């Protein structure tokens, strides 16, 4: 009993300590308590048996509420079997409950004199029950009626106090019971002879508390009965929608595991702190998939919150396919500057793009056609749609380029074409469309007079009838008058034939002739006028009939050429306006990918004009270089926009390289800056060993610069002239091969160069030739060889294919023509193509079939290749790929180069007028002035005297350089032809 007392006092001390702590006790929020013996109000209703076994000890807490604890300490007697059983503890749906026991247990050794039956453990049992049937009475309790949870031992019985005393230790043990299924359970504690104080019994289960994950709400969930996870389906929070069914797993420990699926905030709402908050006014969120609300794009607004899209401002629209993030746009303004070029019953209409595209890149054009009758003033009233009779090329509606050709119109009819620019929102606008009208009248002309014969008092004319006609030709009407006398007198003659001799004319007088056709449908328009002069009396006085004929034929030939030349310009004239070399996208089948860098391997050139913002093209294709990485050394040339310097570029962690630096001179306009940089955005798209490589640009500080690889030997034409006659044919072939390979690459990229010439090829220290000069405006503003044509465009006539001169048909095939001329320049060491012939003569001669002869020492095969490049029909010209293959074969097989072309005579009757009359003038004209002295001191004074100078004589004269000899001899060939023609004309005059 003494022991018991000691034990009780110690126990009470402990209990009070525990009660103090009790007020601070906070159970985790995932634990739900089913029973807590310390805080249970009122009688616990526990039973003990036998009565001298477990004893209830009540203490009052600070609120004066009794707290019940149990103890037993019958250690002195053997055969103890003391049971303590709780009341029914409802399970509350839990399948797994935890039992937390707080107790003290004395070790037997600490109790002096206790017998060997003293125990240091106790057993804990449970019994499941529906509550209907009372549990087995305790006095008959047998272990088999209960399920044993565990035998509980103390971890420690005593602990050391601060002052070194042994203090009884409060033990805490937790056990769990799984697989519960009945309404509740009883816990039972069996003491077999230990000294125990059961201070607190707590029974609880665990749950996963309410949680919000991925915008899904997961409700409070009781954990599973065993180790299995409980799968829980979440529901989306307010203003959210399911993207993928949200699920999570509640673990047995009361923790949430593995979130799967998610909810997202609905349009008009964005996620903030796990909730969906409405977008503020001025912001919108179009899709649940967008993370955040965005500011309304340009020309749109949202006055309310929760906006899923912004409303377009008045006059602005959004096409159905436009993303909601795109600015609202409006229909384009009308196209500008319509130009028509009528060719009988066909018309080419061209116009400029609308000044305002409405903010869109999808502008197309539609052309409406009306046929009108009556005078011009009455047109509107009497116009009817053209119907399907007119043929539009490439199409009538949805034109992507501002140009259309309309054919199969009726002759001599007034038409009104209305051109409209349309974009993706034109149909949404109720405002009337902006149209631009153009009126034209088709004609029916007699085509060019093609033949004539002259005598003292008569002139014979011949012509071709109209190609298209609204009826059979009844007759032709020939009108003529004496030049400068038109107002006074003109004569009209009629004939059914297309040849007529007009008689009764004054000798040596110039007449102006015009011809028109009269058909069932009425009179057509006059063809072009032609001026012809009758022969002079004195010329006729001395003549023999044969020579008369020769003269007539000769003049006829001249006239034919003149007419063809005129025709050529008439044809080219159909394209009014400035022949500025722009890539014609429709003709050249360029693929535009706006705003995008070409995909690797796609090899398609992107025209910088397809960018709304040209600076973007520069950013896309050219690397920005920090000016501090550049060191300028010296000026090496002058470009269109400023100086060209050489210098060094050292990029971080790269070796220093030699570069050429083109700078944009101060005081430039924005347009000039764009044009200057356009060269970089074109060049930056190319990557080929025979194309000049762009290193980068400097745009962030002034002056703006373009940095390219440095080409030690400068431009090819100057280089060749400097090293006249110094290279082997194979070396020259290597240069030509390089240029052809570069051009093959460009043509495969769908890029048409338009100004291929030796002056635009750069040569490096290893004689590698690279194609350069890619600016947009450079063609051909800065090219000294480009001349204005009659239509105002600039074209380097000598290098340009006839179809490109005549009607701007610039293609890779016209580049092939220019390549042939460049080959000729290479073999002749920079000789000027067609020497000093005038551009007009060059056009005339080419049209007549004349082609440049082989330069001196030129292998036949190379001249043949040039001739192939100069095929009139562009589809007959070789492709650059074939040229490369051809040149490779020649390089591999040099014996094929042995046969040199024989180029002594010109086959062509058309020769240039000599622009000089003395040997000195002649040498000046061929830039060989340095030999004037040599010729004059050797007695060559008249031009005639040099006609038969041979190579060996040139050597004796002191002209030793092979290239110079070549140049002089080719020019002598030219003099020969001129001489021959003069002689021929002289003979005719004498007739
Ligand atoms: P451009 O305006 O491009 O025709 O250049 C004018 C001149 O500068 C050319 O005729 C060349 O002599 C010289 N030049 C241009 N680029 C280079 C370069 N990359 N390497 C060497 N010289 C160049």
């Amino acid at each position: 009993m003494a022991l018991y007392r000691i034990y009780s006092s110690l126990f009470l001390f402990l209990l009070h300590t525990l009660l103090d702590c009790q007020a601070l006790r906070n159970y985790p929020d995932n634990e739900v308590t089913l029973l807590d013996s310390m805080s249970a109000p009122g009688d616990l209703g526990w039973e003990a048996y036998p009565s001298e076994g477990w004893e209830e000890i009540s203490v009052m807490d600070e609120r004066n509420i009794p707290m019940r604890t149990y103890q037993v300490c019958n250690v002195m007697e053997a055969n103890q079997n003391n049971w303590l059983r709780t009341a029914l503890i409802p399970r509350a749906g839990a399948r797994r409950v935890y039992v937390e026991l707080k107790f003290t247990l004395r070790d037997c050794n600490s109790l002096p004199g206790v017998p060997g039956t003293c125990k240091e453990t106790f057993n804990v049992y449970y019994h499941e029950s529906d509550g209907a049937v009372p549990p087995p009475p305790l006095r008959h309790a047998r272990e088999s009626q209960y399920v044993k949870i565990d035998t509980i031992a103390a971890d420690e019985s005593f602990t050391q106090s601060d002052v070194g005393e042994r203090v009884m230790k409060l033990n805490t043990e937790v056990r769990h019971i799984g697989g519960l299924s009945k309404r509740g359970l009883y816990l039972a504690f069996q003491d077999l002879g230990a000294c125990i104080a059961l201070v607190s019994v707590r029974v609880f289960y665990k749950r996963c508390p309410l949680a919000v994950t991925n915008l899904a709400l997961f409700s409070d969930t009781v954990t599973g009965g065993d180790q299995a996870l409980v799968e829980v389906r979440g529901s989306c929070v307010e203003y959210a929608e399911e993207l993928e069914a949200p699920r999570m797993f509640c673990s047995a420990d009361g923790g949430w595991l593995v979130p799967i699926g998610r909810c997202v905030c609905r349009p008009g709402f964005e996620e903030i702190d796990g909730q969906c908050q409405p977008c503020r006014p001025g912001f919108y969120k179009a899709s649940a998939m967008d993370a955040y609300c965005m500011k309304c794009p340009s020309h749109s607004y949202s006055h309310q919150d929760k906006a899923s899209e912004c409303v377009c401002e008045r006059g602005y629209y959004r096409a159905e396919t436009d993303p909601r993030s795109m600015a609202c746009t409006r229909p384009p303004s009308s196209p500008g500057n319509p130009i028509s070029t009528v060719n009988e019953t066909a018309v080419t209409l061209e116009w400029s793009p609308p000044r305002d595209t409405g903010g869109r890149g999808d502008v197309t054009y539609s052309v409406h056609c009306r046929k009108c009758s009556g005078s011009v003033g009455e047109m509107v009233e009497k116009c009817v749609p053209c119907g399907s009779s007119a043929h539009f090329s490439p199409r009538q509606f949805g034109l992507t380029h501002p140009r259309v050709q309309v054919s199969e119109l009726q002759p001599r009819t007034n038409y009104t074409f209305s051109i409209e620019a349309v974009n993706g929102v034109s149909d949404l606008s109720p405002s009337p469309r902006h149209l631009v009208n153009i009126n034209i009248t088709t004609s029916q002309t007699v085509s060019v007079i093609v033949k004539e014969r002259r005598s003292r008092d008569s002139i014979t004319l011949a012509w071709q009838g109209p190609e298209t006609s609204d009826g059979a030709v009844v007759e032709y009407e020939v009108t003529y008058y004496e030049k400068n006398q038109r107002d006074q007198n003109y004569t009209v003659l009629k004939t059914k034939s297309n040849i007529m001799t007009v008689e009764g004319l004054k000798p040596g007088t110039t007449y102006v002739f015009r011809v028109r056709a009269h058909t069932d449908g009425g009179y057509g328009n006059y063809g072009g006028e032609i001026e012809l002069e009758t022969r002079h009396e004195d010329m006729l006085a001395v003549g023999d009939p044969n020579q008369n004929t020769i003269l007539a034929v000769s003049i006829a030939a001249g006239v034919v050429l003149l007419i063809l030349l005129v025709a050529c310009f008439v044809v080219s004239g159909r394209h009014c306006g400035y022949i500025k070399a722009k890539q014609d996208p429709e003709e050249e089948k360029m693929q535009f990918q706006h705003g995008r860098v070409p995909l690797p391997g796609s090899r398609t050139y992107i025209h910088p004009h397809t960018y709304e913002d040209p600076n973007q093209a520069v950013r896309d294709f050219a690397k920005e270089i920090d000016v501090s990485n550049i060191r300028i050394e010296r000026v090496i040339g002058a470009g269109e926009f400023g100086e060209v310097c050489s210098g060094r570029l050292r990029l971080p962690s790269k070796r220093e390289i030699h570069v050429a630096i083109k700078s944009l001179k101060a005081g430039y306009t924005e347009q000039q800056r764009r044009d200057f940089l356009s060269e970089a955005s074109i060049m930056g798209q190319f990557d080929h060993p025979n194309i000049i490589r762009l290193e980068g640009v400097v745009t962030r500080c002034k002056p703006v610069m373009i940095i390219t690889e440095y080409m030690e030997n400068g431009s090819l034409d100057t280089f060749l002239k400097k090293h006249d006659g110094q290279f082997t044919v194979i070396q020259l072939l290597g240069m030509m091969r390089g240029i052809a390979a570069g051009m093959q690459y460009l043509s495969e990229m769908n890029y048409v160069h338009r100004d291929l010439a030796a002056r635009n090829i750069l040569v490096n220290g290893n004689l590698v030739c690279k194609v350069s000069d890619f600016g947009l405006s450079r063609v051909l503003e800065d090219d000294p060889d480009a001349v204005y044509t009659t239509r105002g465009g600039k074209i380097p006539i000598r290098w340009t294919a006839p179809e490109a001169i005549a009607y701007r048909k610039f293609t890779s095939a016209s580049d092939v023509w220019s390549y042939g001329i460049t080959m000729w320049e290479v073999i002749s060491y920079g000789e000027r193509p067609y020497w000093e012939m005038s551009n007009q003569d060059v056009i005339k001669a080419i049209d007549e079939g004349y082609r440049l002869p082989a330069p001196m020492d030129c292998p036949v095969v190379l001249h043949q290749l040039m001739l192939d490049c100069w095929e009139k029909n562009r589809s007959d010209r070789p492709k650059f790929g074939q040229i490369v293959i051809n040149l490779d074969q020649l390089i591999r097989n040099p014996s094929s180069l042995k046969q040199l072309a024989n180029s002594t005579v010109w086959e062509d009757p058309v020769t240039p007028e000599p622009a000089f009359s003395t040997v000195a003038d002649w040498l000046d004209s061929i830039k060989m002035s340095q030999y004037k002295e040599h010729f004059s001191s050797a007695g060559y004074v008249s031009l005639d005297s040099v006609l038969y100078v041979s190579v060996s004589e040139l050597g004796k004269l002191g002209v030793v350089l092979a290239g110079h000899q070549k140049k002089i001899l080719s020019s002598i060939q030219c003099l020969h032809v001129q001489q021959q023609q003069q002689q021929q004309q002289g003979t005719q005059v004498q007739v």
Side-chain angles (χ1 to χ4, degrees), residues 353 357 360-361 400-402 580-585 590-595 605-618 621 670-671 674-679 681-682 685 751 754 774-779:
T357 60
R360 303 182 66 89
T400 47
H401 298 288
K580 186 173 162 102
K582 276 194 295 189
Q583 301 282 322
D584 182 335
M590 284 173 189
Q591 294 168 25
F592 295 149
Q593 303 170 344
H594 189 138
Y605 158 73
I606 299 169
H607 195 291
H609 274 177
T610 59
Y611 279 74
E612 233 167 61
D613 173 14
N615 293 322
Q616 186 56 43
V618 179
F621 300 120
E670 183 53 25
Q671 185 59 43
R674 278 187 206 158
D675 288 349
F676 174 72
L677 287 172
S678 68
E679 176 164 28
S681 36
I682 294 172
Q685 298 182 46
Y751 179 82
R754 299 178 182 227
F774 298 102
L776 281 184
S777 72
R778 63 86 175 92
V779 193

Side-chain angles (χ1 to χ4, degrees), residues 45 58 141 493 613 712 749 829 876 888 896 920 953 961:
S58 291
L493 301 172
D613 173 14
E712 292 80 348
M749 292 275 285
Y829 285 93
D876 293 340
D888 282 343
S896 57
E953 278 170 308
L961 284 175

Side-chain angles (χ1 to χ4, degrees), residues 452-574:
E452 60 81 45
R453 196 164 50 232
R454 295 185 296 162
S455 75
R456 185 177 56 97
D457 59 357
S458 71
I459 287 178
T460 303
L461 303 162
W463 54 87
Q464 270 177 4
E467 263 178 33
T468 50
S469 159
D470 58 350
V473 175
V474 177
E475 60 184 3
Y476 293 99
E477 187 187 271
V478 178
T479 307
Y480 70 93
Y481 55 89
E482 227 182 287
K483 192 174 177 192
N484 307 325
Q485 307 279 317
R486 182 179 189 176
D487 296 341
Q488 291 164 23
N489 192 8
Y490 67 91
T491 309
V492 179
L493 301 172
K494 300 199 171 172
T495 175
K496 290 194 182 335
S497 145
N498 57 355
I499 184 158
M500 172 184 261
T501 301
V502 182
E503 290 171 329
L505 304 176
K506 292 186 211 161
T509 308
T510 302
Y511 289 90
V512 179
F513 295 89
R514 308 191 294 174
V515 184
R516 67 175 175 175
H518 182 201
T519 65
D520 298 341
Y523 280 103
N525 285 0
Y526 285 109
E529 287 183 343
I530 181 166
E531 289 181 17
L532 296 168
E533 190 184 355
T534 48
R535 285 220 212 108
H536 290 269
E537 296 272 18
D538 54 349
M539 286 165 66
L540 297 165
V542 212
D544 87 54
N546 286 343
Q547 284 181 337
N548 247 346
T549 314
I550 294 169
L551 177 62
V553 167
S554 158
I555 294 172
V559 169
V560 167
L561 284 169
L562 177 72
I563 291 167
L564 287 176
L565 183 63
V566 169
C568 176
F569 277 97
V570 166
V571 174
S572 70
R574 278 199 271 138

Side-chain angles (χ1 to χ4, degrees), residues 345 347 349 366-372 382-392 395-397 404-410 413-420 435-440 442:
T345 56
V347 60
L349 302 173
S366 296
V367 180
H368 305 278
C369 169
R370 280 174 297 148
K371 194 168 68 176
C372 304
K382 296 190 179 170
C383 291
V384 291
C386 299
S388 56
S389 58
H391 177 258
F392 289 79
R395 67 191 82 85
Q396 185 174 5
F397 303 106
V404 71
Q405 202 163 20
V406 193
S407 55
E408 294 169 32
L409 298 170
Q410 289 175 5
T413 305
N414 296 326
Y415 285 91
T416 297
F417 292 96
S418 305
I419 304 158
E420 109 185 289
L435 301 169
V436 63
N437 290 333
I438 185 161
N439 302 321
I440 63 129
T442 52

